[in-house]
C-alpha cells in the first residue's frame, strides 16, 4: 500500500524556479529523494535526504537545488532554482527503508515532468 505521489512539475523558462513535492503513504522512510531521467538517458540521482536530515546532491545541482523533508507530513520537497534547459527531465520521487531480516524496500513515484525552455 506504499504510494509516492509527486506534484509541482511544469514548464518554466531558464533561470526560473519550481518546487516539487512528494507525499508518501505509510512508514517514515530512512532515505527519500529525487532522481531524474531525460529521454534516451539513464535515471540519475538529483538529491537525497535521510530521516535525520543529512542530504546529498548531484554535482550538477549543488548550489541551485535544495532538498528538504517534513517527517510529520511524510513529504519530501525539492526546491529548484536557476533552472537550466539541461534540467529538463521526468523527476521521480524515491523512498528507501530496511525492514525485518535486513530486507530492503525501494519505492518509486510515477514521475512529474519538468521542462525548462531557453
Amino acid at each position: 500500500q506504499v504510494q509516492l505521489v509527486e506534484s509541482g512539475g511544469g514548464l518554466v523558462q531558464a533561470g526560473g524556479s519550481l518546487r516539487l513535492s512528494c507525499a508518501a503513504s505509510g512508514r517514515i522512510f530512512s532515505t527519500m529523494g529525487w532522481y531524474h531521467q531525460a529521454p534516451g538517458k539513464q535515471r540519475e540521482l538529483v538529491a537525497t535526504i535521510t530521516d535525520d536530515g543529512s542530504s546529498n546532491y548531484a554535482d550538477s545541482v549543488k548550489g541551485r537545488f535544495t532538498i528538504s523533508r517534513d517527517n510529520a507530513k511524510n513529504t519530501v520537497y525539492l526546491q529548484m532554482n536557476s533552472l537550466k534547459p539541461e534540467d529538463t527531465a521526468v523527476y521521480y520521487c524515491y523512498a528507501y527503508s530496511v525492514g525485518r531480516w535486513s530486507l530492503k524496500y525501494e519505492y518509486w513515484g510515477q514521475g512529474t515532468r519538468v521542462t525548462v525552455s531557453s
Side-chain angles (χ1 to χ4, degrees):
Q1 272 71 258
V2 173
Q3 283 190 234
L4 305 176
V5 181
E6 303 107 327
S7 62
L11 193 153
V12 65
Q13 290 192 319
S17 298
L18 287 171
R19 189 176 78 156
L20 306 184
S21 298
C22 173
S25 62
R27 66 178 295 163
I28 301 298
F29 294 94
S30 61
T31 301
M32 296 186 71
W34 296 91
Y35 288 68
H36 68 195
Q37 187 169 26
K41 304 287 187 179
Q42 296 186 88
R43 190 171 297 187
E44 297 178 328
L45 170 73
V46 177
T48 60
I49 187 167
T50 64
D51 56 3
D52 65 359
S54 179
S55 59
N56 179 48
Y57 296 91
D59 288 342
S60 62
V61 307
K62 287 181 179 177
R64 299 190 297 122
F65 293 6
T66 303
I67 190 169
S68 60
R69 67 190 290 174
D70 184 339
N71 289 336
K73 297 180 179 179
N74 207 7
T75 299
V76 64
Y77 305 93
L78 185 69
Q79 179 66 46
M80 304 187 293
N81 297 327
S82 302
L83 282 161
K84 303 175 180 179
E86 53 261 44
D87 296 319
T88 295
V90 176
Y91 284 71
Y92 295 92
C93 185
Y94 168 83
Y96 168 84
S97 279
V98 178
R100 290 186 177 185
W101 311 294
S102 297
L103 289 174
K104 297 176 175 63
Y105 298 90
E106 293 182 304
Y107 301 96
W108 295 92
Q110 293 299 303
T112 185
R113 184 173 297 276
V114 171
T115 303
V116 184
S117 62
S118 59

